[in-house]
Amino acid sequence: MAVTIKDIAKRSGYSFATVSRALNDRYGIDPKTLKKIKAVAEEMGYRPNQIAKSLVSRKTKTIGLIVPDLANPFFSTLLFHIKSLADAADYSLLICMSAWDPAKEEHELKLLFERRCDGILLYPSDPIDAKALDLYKIPICVFTDQEDDRGQVFFVGIDNEYGGEIATQHLFDQGYKRPAFLGGNQHSASSIARCRGYENICNKQKVNLPEAFISTGAFTIDSGYDRARTLLAMEPDIRPDAFFCANDLIAMGAMEAVTLDGLRVGADIGIVGVDNVIYAGLPQIRLTTMDIPLAELAKRGWLELMDLLAENGDKKETSDEKKASSSEEKQANSLLEPTLVIRETTDKSRRKK
Amino acid sequence: MAVTIKDIAKRSGYSFATVSRALNDRYGIDPKTLKKIKAVAEEMGYRPNQIAKSLVSRKTKTIGLIVPDLANPFFSTLLFHIKSLADAADYSLLICMSAWDPAKEEHELKLLFERRCDGILLYPSDPIDAKALDLYKIPICVFTDQEDDRGQVFFVGIDNEYGGEIATQHLFDQGYKRPAFLGGNQHSASSIARCRGYENICNKQKVNLPEAFISTGAFTIDSGYDRARTLLAMEPDIRPDAFFCANDLIAMGAMEAVTLDGLRVGADIGIVGVDNVIYAGLPQIRLTTMDIPLAELAKRGWLELMDLLAENGDKKETSDEKKASSSEEKQANSLLEPTLVIRETTDKSRRKK
DNA sequence: GTGAAAGCGCTAACAG
DNA sequence: CTGTTAGCGCTTTCAC
């Protein structure tokens, strides 16, 4: 169908080995032949078959990316950053969506392995078992705040527990007394860590909150709305007076629930989200939220993966020391700190609703 | 490195041809051999090398998707829908970002071709030349409202001109007299079509607006903000009293500019966007906008592409008549109609700012 | 039923 | 400098 190296060999009168060399600028070729072969190739509209190349080179120049949910702006923004990095490094990106389902995640992992990706970037839908990951003989970099670090698998992540702490602390500082935590997906490591931070501060403040104040659910506006409504339906003296939400979507749902109940966001009920999506800063929203350094996270993950690839491809002897030294470095700075962006949804003196 | 068909042939005592047959459930194999081979494969953790399979089958079960900008929620939502469809059909997705640059777009096209994608889904950054696309010997489906239909290339799209018309008409109906058009990327076919719709209605209304009322720029909040500020800085009697924005991001930027100037969104300045992103409906925003049936668009494009693949793979003789008949059908319903979602940003009697 | 052999498009020694 | 010969891992005739 498509024109191959043999076609252009026939047409140019050279053997296909010479054609291959010429097209790949290997040295040891007569400038004239080179010119002629390139001309013929151009004329015939030749495009190398990367499938065939990959088969022999054992490299695909392809990275697989697995995220739980592409509809979530957090992940689509992460994807955007990673894609930009991939472009710059001349890698293609194969994307997969686990839909927060560990079984599907494993399936995608297998698939990426079968397609012989050079490496994998994984944002797990579940706390990850590093050993299991090691089975895939591919360099994998995992986005999470877990601390393990073995084999081919590396971790980079956000310090979500710390994030949960400063967010919750901020709520208390602002004068709210009974913050509730509207979590995300039940198994989401990020959500779990943020919850831990929330609990740390609640304990420190020595407040005792009902169990119902901690909930999990989808990372969506609707889920936030529903859960906030439920909590707000409690008696005024025992219901929450603030929501720490596992992401901005949930927070926006909560905001909606608050206003619908005739309460004022900020003045009556404080709200803080996580992610700092572009909409959070709009004058009509002004959501207090944790900013996650997504571009930086993407970059770290990408660089880490590239390191892994380099180690793998190169020597095997020297890699041990290199690895040791580089992972030490990593350990020191591998958790990125989110920062609190204070806006009006946690402002008790806020006028407009 | 990884275990191959030969390894399991050696271990099981069969020839690798038999192993291949067994693993792919070809018939004509002794049930016992089959069972044994599968057991050995399982035990050794065999995973077929899709690269090698692709080389012989000439199929990669991969679709390439090219969009201008993954950071734009419109495209990430489109991606989400397409990815869902791809999952269901057992295709992998290779994503590319053209960054609104026709040169990069062409480069990505070449790349996808070299990787021997089975088909390509293209959301062009520019009005497309169908003939040029025909050069790539791959089925391509293009998202646009252009009408051409030749060769391997098919088009599906949104009727953006019509969308521009009803949006602008709505503005006049609400009592605004001097709508401006805040366009998107200069070469964006969608933006251009929406502008045409806007102009159609302005002509019909026999209003004569300054040239400056039509602008192009990035599809971003900042761009909308900047351009709205500029226009709002004109003398009150000649400046626009409404903005029709090429997408919701631009519209949100415009809203920001309006409130910053002490004007009221709706009462003083009407605003309508396009896309109906999830945030547009929030109680704090309530943006009037054109809803684009994105899920439907993704589905149409995907199905169209699958059709193309089927035709291509199957016979070559019968395909001509099939093609003729199917493209007729397509022509009849290939442009999807956006619908206007009326909210408060075009409500002159709106109270709150 | 199963094995041997050819070949997908390309790269990489090894000879000339 | 260029041609010949092996494969990369797998599917697919074609024999036995």
Side-chain angles (χ1 to χ4, degrees):
Chain A
M1 201 71 244
V3 16
T4 77
I5 218 178
K6 283 187 183 170
D7 297 325
I8 107 163
K10 211 167 293 169
R11 189 90 95 88
S12 66
Y14 290 95
S15 77
F16 72 93
T18 303
V19 172
S20 170
R21 278 186 290 248
L23 261 18
N24 291 287
D25 292 308
R26 297 268 176 286
Y27 35 20
I29 288 216
D30 189 306
K32 280 179 197 159
T33 9
L34 192 148
K35 201 176 154 197
K36 170 153 191 193
I37 289 179
K38 288 218 168 178
V40 175
E42 169 75 15
E43 179 195 328
M44 299 180 78
Y46 171 75
R47 290 278 131 210
N49 183 331
Q50 301 294 354
I51 297 294
K53 282 196 169 189
S54 293
L55 186 58
V56 15
S57 71
R58 294 150 168 290
K59 293 213 177 339
T60 52
K61 273 288 186 175
T62 302
I63 298 296
L65 170 67
I66 306 180
V67 294
D69 177 17
L70 255 4
N72 183 323
F74 176 83
F75 295 113
S76 54
T77 306
L78 181 66
L79 164 63
F80 167 77
H81 286 120
I82 290 175
K83 177 58 193 164
S84 304
L85 262 3
D87 274 354
D90 231 39
Y91 273 87
S92 293
L93 212 56
L94 224 32
I95 50 154
C96 302
M97 190 162 57
S98 66
W100 296 107
D101 175 0
K104 178 142 193 252
E105 185 173 298
E106 205 186 317
H107 176 255
E108 303 292 355
L109 237 18
K110 273 185 191 144
L111 206 127
L112 292 176
F113 176 70
E114 292 188 356
R115 292 201 186 277
R116 295 299 188 269
C117 286
D118 293 339
I120 294 177
L121 248 21
L122 170 64
Y123 198 110
S125 54
D126 221 320
I128 254 326
D129 175 9
K131 288 226 193 75
L133 249 30
D134 242 3
L135 284 180
Y136 302 92
K137 300 296 191 180
I138 297 188
I140 301 186
C141 179
V142 180
F143 293 106
T144 177
D145 48 5
Q146 280 178 224
E147 302 201 323
D148 322 79
D149 169 1
R150 331 162 218 186
Q152 307 255 43
V153 182
F154 275 82
F155 295 88
V156 293
I158 302 291
D159 195 339
N160 284 304
E161 181 166 348
Y162 167 77
E165 288 176 355
I166 59 177
T168 312
Q169 186 60 54
H170 170 69
L171 251 12
F172 282 110
D173 290 348
Q174 291 297 101
Y176 302 100
K177 311 274 190 219
R178 304 173 59 76
F181 175 67
L182 300 181
N185 190 281
Q186 190 181 356
H187 302 291
S188 157
S190 316
S191 180
I192 292 169
R194 284 163 200 163
C195 186
R196 213 156 46 226
Y198 161 83
E199 291 176 310
N200 293 348
I201 298 300
C202 287
N203 291 337
K204 200 180 115 194
Q205 294 286 334
K206 305 212 194 309
V207 294
N208 209 299
L209 273 6
E211 270 188 31
F213 274 31
I214 292 181
S215 65
T216 59
F219 276 116
T220 60
I221 293 181
D222 287 350
S223 167
Y225 176 81
D226 291 343
R227 285 182 280 149
R229 289 229 72 180
T230 305
L231 288 171
L232 257 14
M234 297 170 73
E235 294 300 313
D237 51 328
I238 60 166
R239 74 177 172 206
D241 65 352
F243 294 111
F244 169 38
C245 309
N247 81 350
D248 288 347
L249 291 171
I250 295 172
M252 290 187 187
M255 285 175 79
E256 197 166 340
V258 168
T259 53
L260 200 89
D261 270 4
L263 295 165
R264 291 161 303 168
V265 170
D268 298 316
I269 310 282
I271 297 187
V272 17
V274 177
D275 286 355
N276 195 20
V277 298
I278 45 172
Y279 303 97
L282 290 176
Q284 300 85 351
I285 308 271
R286 307 253 70 219
L287 175 69
T288 294
T289 185
M290 301 293 315
D291 183 77
I292 306 287
L294 257 185
E296 179 63 20
L297 181 67
K299 198 170 155 193
R300 286 256 183 108
W302 183 263
L303 258 27
E304 192 62 81
L305 188 60
M306 289 300 116
D307 268 14
L308 251 28
L309 295 191
E311 284 174 23
N312 245 47
D314 294 350
K315 45 254 149 178
K316 297 192 172 184
E317 307 310 309
T318 35
S319 73
D320 280 322
E321 15 174 353
K322 266 191 74 174
K323 198 164 186 173
S325 76
S326 64
S327 62
E328 247 179 287
E329 265 186 78
K330 264 64 168 247
Q331 218 118 30
N333 62 356
S334 71
L335 248 33
L336 289 168
E337 288 197 356
T339 53
L340 187 65
V341 179
I342 299 172
R343 288 196 273 243
E344 299 178 16
T345 58
T346 51
D347 180 359
K348 276 236 172 206
S349 62
R350 194 185 185 201
R351 323 110 282 163
K352 45 174 203 166
K353 78 164 184 176
Chain B
M1 202 71 242
V3 16
T4 77
I5 218 178
K6 283 186 181 170
D7 297 325
I8 105 163
K10 211 166 294 170
R11 188 89 97 89
S12 66
Y14 291 94
S15 75
F16 72 93
T18 304
V19 172
S20 169
R21 277 187 289 249
L23 260 18
N24 291 287
D25 291 309
R26 298 271 176 283
Y27 36 21
I29 290 219
D30 189 305
K32 281 177 196 157
T33 2
L34 192 147
K35 200 176 155 197
K36 170 151 192 198
I37 289 180
K38 289 216 167 181
V40 175
E42 169 76 15
E43 178 197 331
M44 301 181 77
Y46 171 75
R47 290 277 132 211
N49 183 330
Q50 300 295 353
I51 297 292
K53 281 197 169 189
S54 293
L55 186 58
V56 15
S57 71
R58 296 150 167 290
K59 292 209 178 344
T60 52
K61 271 287 185 179
T62 302
I63 298 296
L65 171 66
I66 306 180
V67 294
D69 177 17
L70 255 6
N72 183 323
F74 176 83
F75 295 115
S76 54
T77 306
L78 182 66
L79 164 63
F80 167 77
H81 286 119
I82 291 175
K83 177 59 192 164
S84 304
L85 263 2
D87 273 356
D90 231 39
Y91 273 87
S92 292
L93 213 54
L94 223 33
I95 49 154
C96 303
M97 190 161 59
S98 66
W100 296 109
D101 175 359
K104 180 145 192 251
E105 185 173 297
E106 206 187 315
H107 176 255
E108 303 292 355
L109 238 17
K110 274 184 190 146
L111 207 130
L112 291 177
F113 176 70
E114 292 188 357
R115 296 200 179 251
R116 296 301 188 265
C117 287
D118 293 340
I120 294 178
L121 248 21
L122 169 65
Y123 198 110
S125 55
D126 220 322
I128 254 324
D129 175 10
K131 288 224 193 78
L133 249 31
D134 241 4
L135 285 181
Y136 303 91
K137 299 298 192 181
I138 298 189
I140 300 185
C141 180
V142 179
F143 293 106
T144 176
D145 48 6
Q146 280 179 222
E147 302 202 321
D148 322 79
D149 169 0
R150 339 166 211 184
Q152 307 254 46
V153 183
F154 274 81
F155 294 89
V156 292
I158 301 292
D159 195 339
N160 283 304
E161 182 166 348
Y162 167 77
E165 288 176 356
I166 60 178
T168 311
Q169 185 61 55
H170 170 68
L171 250 13
F172 281 110
D173 290 349
Q174 291 298 101
Y176 302 100
K177 311 274 189 219
R178 303 172 61 75
F181 175 68
L182 300 180
N185 191 280
Q186 190 182 354
H187 301 293
S188 156
S190 315
S191 180
I192 292 170
R194 284 163 199 162
C195 186
R196 213 157 44 225
Y198 161 82
E199 291 177 311
N200 293 348
I201 298 301
C202 287
N203 290 337
K204 200 179 118 195
Q205 295 285 335
K206 304 211 196 311
V207 293
N208 210 299
L209 273 8
E211 270 188 31
F213 274 31
I214 294 180
S215 65
T216 59
F219 276 116
T220 61
I221 294 180
D222 287 349
S223 167
Y225 176 81
D226 291 342
R227 285 183 279 150
R229 289 229 70 181
T230 305
L231 288 172
L232 257 16
M234 296 170 73
E235 294 299 313
D237 50 328
I238 60 165
R239 75 178 173 205
D241 64 351
F243 293 112
F244 168 39
C245 309
N247 81 350
D248 289 346
L249 291 171
I250 295 173
M252 290 184 185
M255 285 175 77
E256 198 167 339
V258 168
T259 54
L260 200 91
D261 271 3
L263 295 165
R264 293 161 302 167
V265 171
D268 298 316
I269 309 283
I271 296 187
V272 16
V274 176
D275 285 355
N276 196 20
V277 299
I278 46 173
Y279 303 96
L282 290 176
Q284 300 84 351
I285 308 269
R286 308 254 63 215
L287 175 67
T288 294
T289 185
M290 301 293 317
D291 183 76
I292 305 288
L294 257 185
E296 179 63 20
L297 181 67
K299 197 169 157 197
R300 285 256 183 107
W302 182 263
L303 260 24
E304 191 63 77
L305 189 59
M306 288 300 119
D307 268 14
L308 251 28
L309 295 191
E311 284 172 23
N312 245 46
D314 294 349
K315 46 256 151 175
K316 297 192 171 184
E317 308 309 311
T318 34
S319 74
D320 279 321
E321 17 175 350
K322 267 190 74 175
K323 198 163 188 175
S325 75
S326 63
S327 62
E328 248 180 286
E329 265 187 76
K330 265 64 168 243
Q331 218 119 31
N333 62 355
S334 69
L335 248 33
L336 289 166
E337 287 197 357
T339 53
L340 187 65
V341 179
I342 299 172
R343 289 196 274 244
E344 297 178 18
T345 59
T346 51
D347 181 359
K348 276 234 169 206
S349 62
R350 195 186 185 198
R351 322 113 283 164
K352 47 174 201 168
K353 78 165 183 175

